[in-house]
């Protein structure tokens, strides 16, 4: 977990307070706060929620981002099956923006939520300008609480190109981000079948 590394602990990254991160994340100092950034489709973060009717994540797109990324939200209630709730297309701006990732939750229930970065254009300038997104914080509605939902399953690492990352996996018409499926890449599906935690390190353009 990136949040347990000495560098992130020393920098007091606020995004770590409410979530567990999987995939390729790294700390960045942006807009006066320490955030966790990813340039990669397939990265994800997980949280447990209680006594809250809504959940928000504060995100900012990195300066180099030219195509709006997409995230997918998965939710389970009281230990039930984790199911995809919705896709969210992120606004193409560099300011911290609040996105509602869950609503109409029962305050008497406990929810596990996983947010997966599913659509990142393989043509983004990921290396020099860090094209993609950063997480500033995760927060519940007033009176609620969020905490990291730790994935303590065995981990499996997939390394490769855009096919591994899930770029254009849906074979649908439309933008690259809508056509990508970091949450449905073959590595993610294989890990689910094996009940393992996936680390998807595929990168478009390296094959």
């Amino acid at each position: 977990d990136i949040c347990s590394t000495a560098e992130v602990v020393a920098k007091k990254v606020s995004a770590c307070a409410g979530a567990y991160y999987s995939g390729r994340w790294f700390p960045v100092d942006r807009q006066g706060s320490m955030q966790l950034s990813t340039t990669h489709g397939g990265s994800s973060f997980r949280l447990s929620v209680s006594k809250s009717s809504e959940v928000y994540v504060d995100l900012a797109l990195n300066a180099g981002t030219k195509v709006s990324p997409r995230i997918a939200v998965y939710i389970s209630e009281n230990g039930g099956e984790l199911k995809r709730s919705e896709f969210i297309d992120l606004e193409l701006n560099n300011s911290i923006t609040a996105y509602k990732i869950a609503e109409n939750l029962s305050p008497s229930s406990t929810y596990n939520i996983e947010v997966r970065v599913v659509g990142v254009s393989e043509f983004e300038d990921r290396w020099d300008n860090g094209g993609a997104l950063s997480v500033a914080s995760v927060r519940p509605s007033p009176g609620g609480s969020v905490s990291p939902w730790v994935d303590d399953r065995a981990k499996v690492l997939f390394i490769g190109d855009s096919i591994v990352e899930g770029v254009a996996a849906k074979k649908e018409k439309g933008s690259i981000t809508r056509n990508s499926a970091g949450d449905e890449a073959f590595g993610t599906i294989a890990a689910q079948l094996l009940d393992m935690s996936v680390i998807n390190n595929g990168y478009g353009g390296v094959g």
Side-chain angles (χ1 to χ4, degrees), residues 73-150:
V73 181
Y74 289 74
I75 300 177
S76 72
E77 182 178 3
N78 294 327
E81 182 182 358
L82 191 68
K83 297 181 179 180
R84 187 165 61 203
S85 170
E86 63 177 327
F87 287 108
I88 300 175
D89 293 305
L90 306 182
E91 298 177 16
L92 195 59
N93 65 64
N94 305 127
S95 300
I96 296 176
T97 303
Y99 293 91
K100 186 187 295 183
I101 59 173
E103 61 183 345
N104 300 320
L105 304 181
S106 171
S108 62
S109 294
T110 298
Y111 296 86
N112 288 331
I113 299 176
E114 183 169 359
V115 178
R116 302 175 185 172
V117 182
V118 298
V120 175
S121 171
E122 64 179 317
F123 302 109
E124 293 287 9
D125 184 1
R126 309 188 200 204
W127 307 113
D128 292 331
N129 293 316
L133 60 91
S134 299
V135 179
S137 63
V138 181
R139 51 192 173 86
S141 53
S145 66
V146 295
S147 59
W149 176 28
V150 177

Side-chain angles (χ1 to χ4, degrees), residues 2-124:
I2 182 67
C3 291
S4 64
T5 62
E7 178 186 11
V8 173
V9 171
K11 292 181 177 180
K12 300 179 179 179
V13 179
S14 58
C16 288
Y20 175 93
Y21 294 81
S22 179
R24 292 184 65 95
W25 296 89
F26 50 92
V28 294
D29 189 350
R30 181 169 289 118
Q31 301 180 36
S33 68
M34 291 302 305
Q35 303 171 15
L36 283 182
S37 179
T38 186
T39 61
H40 185 260
S43 293
S44 64
F45 57 92
R46 297 156 56 100
L47 56 144
S48 292
V49 183
S50 60
K51 300 179 181 179
S52 180
S53 59
E54 298 175 338
V55 182
Y56 299 84
V57 58
D58 298 315
L59 297 173
L61 299 193
N62 298 343
T65 306
K66 298 180 179 65
V67 181
S68 178
R70 203 179 205 200
I71 59 175
V73 181
Y74 289 74
I75 300 177
S76 72
E77 182 178 3
N78 294 327
E81 182 182 358
L82 191 68
K83 297 181 179 180
R84 187 165 61 203
S85 170
E86 63 177 327
F87 287 108
I88 300 175
D89 293 305
L90 306 182
E91 298 177 16
L92 195 59
N93 65 64
N94 305 127
S95 300
I96 296 176
T97 303
Y99 293 91
K100 186 187 295 183
I101 59 173
E103 61 183 345
N104 300 320
L105 304 181
S106 171
S108 62
S109 294
T110 298
Y111 296 86
N112 288 331
I113 299 176
E114 183 169 359
V115 178
R116 302 175 185 172
V117 182
V118 298
V120 175
S121 171
E122 64 179 317
F123 302 109
E124 293 287 9

